[in-house]
């Protein structure tokens, strides 16, 4: 796999919680450290994501949010 994103975290799928149109996929990237992604149900099926399977969390920020008190 070649990808332009620099933040690629290898891990194991812990759970896939399907909703009406999107799923929440939890990936354990190190013991006790989770990353959760919201992706379409179609993507879950296409990638064949199941608990216990390998997966990568790819993080690419396209927006920066600024806040003040």
């Amino acid at each position: 796999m070649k990808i332009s994103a620099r933040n690629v975290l290898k891990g194991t799928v812990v759970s896939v919680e399907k909703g009406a149109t999107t799923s929440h996929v939890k990936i354990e990237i190190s013991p006790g450290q989770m990353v959760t992604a919201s992706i379409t149900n179609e993507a879950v099926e296409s990638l064949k994501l199941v608990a216990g399977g390998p997966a990568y969390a790819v993080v690419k920020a396209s927006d920066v949010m600024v806040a003040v008190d």
Side-chain angles (χ1 to χ4, degrees):
M1 170 180 68
K2 291 186 180 185
I3 191 164
S4 64
R6 296 291 174 244
N7 301 302
V8 179
L9 308 169
K10 186 175 182 179
T12 302
V13 177
V14 173
S15 65
V16 178
E17 297 176 18
K18 285 191 174 183
T21 58
T22 59
S23 295
H24 291 152
V25 180
K26 289 186 181 182
I27 301 171
E28 186 173 41
I29 57 171
S30 67
Q33 298 295 308
M34 304 288 176
V35 173
T36 303
S38 295
I39 64 174
T40 64
N41 291 337
E42 184 178 322
V44 168
E45 293 169 14
S46 176
L47 295 171
K48 299 178 181 166
L49 296 175
V50 294
Y56 294 89
V58 180
V59 181
K60 178 132 179 141
S62 57
D63 297 308
V64 175
M65 297 168 41
V66 177
V68 296
D69 283 325

